[in-house]
Amino acid sequence: MSQALDTPPAASARPEPPESDLAALAARHGLTVSGARPPLGAYVRQLWGRRHFILAFSQAKLTAQYSKAKLGQLWQVATPLLNAAVYFFIFGLLLGARKGIPSDVYVPFLVTGVFVFTFTQSSVLAGVRAISGNLGLVRALHFPRASLPISFALQQLQQLLFSMIVLVVVMIGFRSYPDASWLLVVPALALQFVFNTGLALIFARMGSKTPDLAQLMP
């Protein structure tokens, strides 16, 4: 006994519209490619629109950095100062690198170098972890990803400004008194901040693709 199978008529194959028509249709309804990189000008405008977020995020990170320490925000100044003391002990005393250089010149020179180097070092290390260390925020909110490394570089700049207060005290203590040349610190720090921000942006991109880079950079 044969069974009759009812097969539905074959659906008529509809020709796919050309890609140009699809692109025009998407543009007509304001649709864009998900995750597409916008032009540089548009991206900079997006970053400027998030400037309040960048500033608030950097301040929040700076406040929370030492929130569990008993000395709190004093570590912003104590940490680079202790680093300078270690460098002075190693290079100034053990290795004798300051031969022929008076202490009133060598110590301010050393403290200045340590503070600025710490600023650059911390900006790079924070940039490496900017994306990979904040994946929850990246996945939850839509914002320009460059906001994170810029915010971390700004955080380190704020920490450096606290250290500058100690640096002024150290320099005055070693008889290096303020004069007109001290005004050059403003453009110097501005250029250093731009340089560090660029490094943070570069290493943030590298760190997002290679998480092991965060273990290598220190």
Side-chain angles (χ1 to χ4, degrees):
M1 180 177 177
S2 61
Q3 295 179 349
L5 300 176
D6 296 332
T7 58
S12 58
R14 297 180 180 178
E16 295 184 358
E19 293 185 2
S20 59
D21 293 345
L22 293 176
L25 180 63
R28 189 181 311 124
H29 294 279
L31 301 177
T32 58
V33 178
S34 177
R37 183 183 303 174
L40 179 60
Y43 196 74
V44 171
R45 287 192 293 271
Q46 291 180 16
L47 285 173
W48 178 251
R50 302 301 195 282
R51 61 189 183 278
H52 301 296
F53 163 74
I54 294 174
L55 180 60
F57 187 75
S58 65
Q59 291 176 341
K61 283 290 185 179
L62 185 63
T63 303
Q65 184 174 0
Y66 301 107
S67 60
K68 296 182 180 179
K70 291 184 178 181
L71 294 180
Q73 302 302 315
L74 288 177
W75 283 111
Q76 295 181 17
V77 174
T79 299
L81 200 58
L82 289 174
N83 289 337
V86 171
Y87 274 82
F88 177 76
F89 177 73
I90 294 175
F91 294 101
L93 298 180
L94 294 183
L95 300 181
R98 66 186 185 102
K99 291 180 179 179
I101 304 177
S103 296
D104 58 347
V105 175
Y106 183 76
V107 173
F109 164 77
L110 180 65
V111 174
T112 303
V114 170
F115 281 10
V116 176
F117 173 76
T118 302
F119 174 37
T120 301
Q121 179 192 43
S122 302
S123 299
V124 172
L125 293 179
V128 172
R129 301 182 178 92
I131 304 299
S132 59
N134 295 275
L135 289 179
L137 183 62
V138 170
R139 292 167 179 169
L141 300 175
H142 176 71
F143 62 94
R145 302 299 183 250
S147 301
L148 293 177
I150 293 175
S151 182
F152 281 112
L154 186 59
Q155 173 194 348
Q156 300 306 322
L157 176 63
Q158 296 177 59
Q159 185 162 342
L160 177 66
L161 294 180
F162 285 105
S163 302
M164 287 293 106
I165 300 174
V166 178
L167 179 59
V168 170
V169 174
V170 170
M171 296 189 71
I172 293 177
F174 283 88
R175 294 175 294 181
S176 295
Y177 300 108
D179 55 25
S181 63
W182 283 34
L183 297 176
L184 294 175
V185 72
V186 177
L189 288 183
L191 291 174
Q192 188 71 26
F193 171 69
V194 172
F195 177 74
N196 290 353
T197 303
L199 289 178
L201 289 169
I202 293 172
F203 281 98
R205 185 176 182 85
M206 296 170 61
S208 64
K209 295 182 178 181
T210 310
D212 290 345
L213 192 61
Q215 308 302 323
L216 176 64
M217 288 308 297

mmCIF file of all heavy atoms in Angstrom, residues 10-11 39 51 54 70 88 91 101-102 113 120 138 148 155 169 185-186 208 213:
data_model
loop_
_atom_site.group_PDB
_atom_site.id
_atom_site.type_symbol
_atom_site.label_atom_id
_atom_site.label_comp_id
_atom_site.label_asym_id
_atom_site.label_seq_id
_atom_site.Cartn_x
_atom_site.Cartn_y
_atom_site.Cartn_z
ATOM 1 N N ALA A 10 7.216 24.294 -3.859
ATOM 2 C CA ALA A 10 8.521 24.937 -3.623
ATOM 3 C C ALA A 10 8.343 26.441 -3.606
ATOM 4 O O ALA A 10 7.672 27.015 -4.466
ATOM 5 C CB ALA A 10 9.503 24.528 -4.722
ATOM 6 N N ALA A 11 8.919 27.047 -2.575
ATOM 7 C CA ALA A 11 8.814 28.498 -2.465
ATOM 8 C C ALA A 11 9.627 29.144 -3.575
ATOM 9 O O ALA A 11 10.730 28.709 -3.894
ATOM 10 C CB ALA A 11 9.330 28.969 -1.116
ATOM 11 N N PRO A 39 35.123 57.756 12.048
ATOM 12 C CA PRO A 39 36.250 58.606 11.626
ATOM 13 C C PRO A 39 36.873 59.312 12.825
ATOM 14 O O PRO A 39 36.252 59.456 13.879
ATOM 15 C CB PRO A 39 35.605 59.597 10.648
ATOM 16 C CG PRO A 39 34.333 58.943 10.205
ATOM 17 C CD PRO A 39 33.871 58.098 11.350
ATOM 18 N N ARG A 51 33.811 63.969 28.417
ATOM 19 C CA ARG A 51 34.867 64.575 29.228
ATOM 20 C C ARG A 51 34.512 64.566 30.715
ATOM 21 O O ARG A 51 35.394 64.397 31.565
ATOM 22 C CB ARG A 51 35.147 65.999 28.752
ATOM 23 C CG ARG A 51 33.969 66.952 28.848
ATOM 24 C CD ARG A 51 34.279 68.281 28.161
ATOM 25 N NE ARG A 51 33.198 69.245 28.282
ATOM 26 C CZ ARG A 51 32.125 69.278 27.503
ATOM 27 N NH1 ARG A 51 31.978 68.370 26.539
ATOM 28 N NH2 ARG A 51 31.190 70.193 27.677
ATOM 29 N N ILE A 54 35.227 61.096 31.968
ATOM 30 C CA ILE A 54 36.665 60.852 32.080
ATOM 31 C C ILE A 54 37.215 61.466 33.366
ATOM 32 O O ILE A 54 37.973 60.832 34.114
ATOM 33 C CB ILE A 54 37.394 61.417 30.845
ATOM 34 C CG1 ILE A 54 36.984 60.630 29.589
ATOM 35 C CG2 ILE A 54 38.906 61.368 31.036
ATOM 36 C CD1 ILE A 54 37.541 61.209 28.300
ATOM 37 N N LYS A 70 45.499 52.661 55.938
ATOM 38 C CA LYS A 70 45.247 53.483 57.125
ATOM 39 C C LYS A 70 45.693 54.931 56.922
ATOM 40 O O LYS A 70 45.067 55.857 57.432
ATOM 41 C CB LYS A 70 45.956 52.873 58.333
ATOM 42 C CG LYS A 70 45.354 51.548 58.791
ATOM 43 C CD LYS A 70 46.021 51.033 60.056
ATOM 44 C CE LYS A 70 45.371 49.740 60.533
ATOM 45 N NZ LYS A 70 45.994 49.220 61.783
ATOM 46 N N PHE A 88 68.282 57.163 46.284
ATOM 47 C CA PHE A 88 69.407 57.893 46.872
ATOM 48 C C PHE A 88 70.332 56.932 47.622
ATOM 49 O O PHE A 88 71.562 57.056 47.548
ATOM 50 C CB PHE A 88 68.892 58.969 47.824
ATOM 51 C CG PHE A 88 69.981 59.718 48.528
ATOM 52 C CD1 PHE A 88 70.718 60.685 47.869
ATOM 53 C CD2 PHE A 88 70.279 59.437 49.859
ATOM 54 C CE1 PHE A 88 71.744 61.367 48.515
ATOM 55 C CE2 PHE A 88 71.302 60.113 50.511
ATOM 56 C CZ PHE A 88 72.039 61.085 49.839
ATOM 57 N N PHE A 91 72.059 54.673 44.575
ATOM 58 C CA PHE A 91 72.962 55.366 43.660
ATOM 59 C C PHE A 91 73.832 56.405 44.371
ATOM 60 O O PHE A 91 75.001 56.587 44.010
ATOM 61 C CB PHE A 91 72.157 56.046 42.546
ATOM 62 C CG PHE A 91 71.473 55.076 41.643
ATOM 63 C CD1 PHE A 91 70.124 54.798 41.787
ATOM 64 C CD2 PHE A 91 72.169 54.424 40.642
ATOM 65 C CE1 PHE A 91 69.482 53.892 40.951
ATOM 66 C CE2 PHE A 91 71.547 53.522 39.800
ATOM 67 C CZ PHE A 91 70.199 53.248 39.960
ATOM 68 N N ILE A 101 79.033 66.001 42.841
ATOM 69 C CA ILE A 101 77.779 66.748 42.773
ATOM 70 C C ILE A 101 77.358 67.078 44.189
ATOM 71 O O ILE A 101 77.174 66.168 45.013
ATOM 72 C CB ILE A 101 76.673 65.933 42.064
ATOM 73 C CG1 ILE A 101 77.141 65.500 40.669
ATOM 74 C CG2 ILE A 101 75.396 66.752 41.953
ATOM 75 C CD1 ILE A 101 76.143 64.634 39.943
ATOM 76 N N PRO A 102 77.178 68.332 44.537
ATOM 77 C CA PRO A 102 76.746 68.683 45.892
ATOM 78 C C PRO A 102 75.371 68.113 46.209
ATOM 79 O O PRO A 102 74.530 67.919 45.325
ATOM 80 C CB PRO A 102 76.727 70.221 45.868
ATOM 81 C CG PRO A 102 77.533 70.615 44.671
ATOM 82 C CD PRO A 102 77.406 69.508 43.688
ATOM 83 N N GLY A 113 63.494 63.528 39.139
ATOM 84 C CA GLY A 113 63.526 62.435 38.175
ATOM 85 C C GLY A 113 62.660 61.260 38.587
ATOM 86 O O GLY A 113 61.950 60.673 37.758
ATOM 87 N N THR A 120 55.268 58.547 34.446
ATOM 88 C CA THR A 120 55.238 57.846 33.160
ATOM 89 C C THR A 120 55.029 56.355 33.354
ATOM 90 O O THR A 120 54.221 55.723 32.654
ATOM 91 C CB THR A 120 56.545 58.094 32.395
ATOM 92 O OG1 THR A 120 56.709 59.499 32.191
ATOM 93 C CG2 THR A 120 56.538 57.386 31.051
ATOM 94 N N VAL A 138 33.197 47.955 30.149
ATOM 95 C CA VAL A 138 33.225 48.027 28.693
ATOM 96 C C VAL A 138 32.018 47.319 28.089
ATOM 97 O O VAL A 138 31.411 47.802 27.125
ATOM 98 C CB VAL A 138 34.543 47.420 28.163
ATOM 99 C CG1 VAL A 138 34.496 47.245 26.656
ATOM 100 C CG2 VAL A 138 35.722 48.292 28.557
ATOM 101 N N LEU A 148 39.029 55.292 28.775
ATOM 102 C CA LEU A 148 39.641 54.623 29.925
ATOM 103 C C LEU A 148 41.135 54.919 30.059
ATOM 104 O O LEU A 148 41.576 55.368 31.119
ATOM 105 C CB LEU A 148 39.373 53.118 29.842
ATOM 106 C CG LEU A 148 37.904 52.703 30.020
ATOM 107 C CD1 LEU A 148 37.749 51.192 29.848
ATOM 108 C CD2 LEU A 148 37.397 53.136 31.382
ATOM 109 N N GLN A 155 44.464 60.395 35.991
ATOM 110 C CA GLN A 155 44.589 60.022 37.398
ATOM 111 C C GLN A 155 46.036 60.141 37.861
ATOM 112 O O GLN A 155 46.321 60.677 38.949
ATOM 113 C CB GLN A 155 44.102 58.595 37.602
ATOM 114 C CG GLN A 155 44.346 58.046 39.003
ATOM 115 C CD GLN A 155 44.157 56.545 39.083
ATOM 116 O OE1 GLN A 155 43.636 55.923 38.150
ATOM 117 N NE2 GLN A 155 44.585 55.941 40.164
ATOM 118 N N VAL A 169 58.832 71.494 48.587
ATOM 119 C CA VAL A 169 59.380 71.532 49.947
ATOM 120 C C VAL A 169 60.820 71.016 49.959
ATOM 121 O O VAL A 169 61.700 71.590 50.622
ATOM 122 C CB VAL A 169 58.488 70.719 50.905
ATOM 123 C CG1 VAL A 169 59.118 70.635 52.293
ATOM 124 C CG2 VAL A 169 57.097 71.332 50.987
ATOM 125 N N VAL A 185 57.646 74.541 34.409
ATOM 126 C CA VAL A 185 57.112 73.242 34.803
ATOM 127 C C VAL A 185 55.711 73.029 34.233
ATOM 128 O O VAL A 185 55.302 71.876 33.978
ATOM 129 C CB VAL A 185 57.097 73.117 36.345
ATOM 130 C CG1 VAL A 185 56.020 73.988 36.961
ATOM 131 C CG2 VAL A 185 56.910 71.668 36.769
ATOM 132 N N VAL A 186 54.969 74.104 33.989
ATOM 133 C CA VAL A 186 53.603 73.972 33.467
ATOM 134 C C VAL A 186 53.606 73.399 32.045
ATOM 135 O O VAL A 186 52.977 72.357 31.785
ATOM 136 C CB VAL A 186 52.857 75.310 33.541
ATOM 137 C CG1 VAL A 186 51.461 75.181 32.923
ATOM 138 C CG2 VAL A 186 52.746 75.782 34.986
ATOM 139 N N SER A 208 44.647 44.876 25.473
ATOM 140 C CA SER A 208 43.324 44.276 25.266
ATOM 141 C C SER A 208 43.406 43.019 24.404
ATOM 142 O O SER A 208 42.578 42.121 24.533
ATOM 143 C CB SER A 208 42.390 45.290 24.616
ATOM 144 O OG SER A 208 42.842 45.640 23.309
ATOM 145 N N LEU A 213 50.543 40.832 28.551
ATOM 146 C CA LEU A 213 51.410 41.994 28.537
ATOM 147 C C LEU A 213 51.367 42.728 29.875
ATOM 148 O O LEU A 213 52.356 43.358 30.270
ATOM 149 C CB LEU A 213 50.975 42.945 27.415
ATOM 150 C CG LEU A 213 51.925 44.091 27.061
ATOM 151 C CD1 LEU A 213 53.263 43.540 26.574
ATOM 152 C CD2 LEU A 213 51.306 44.989 25.995
#
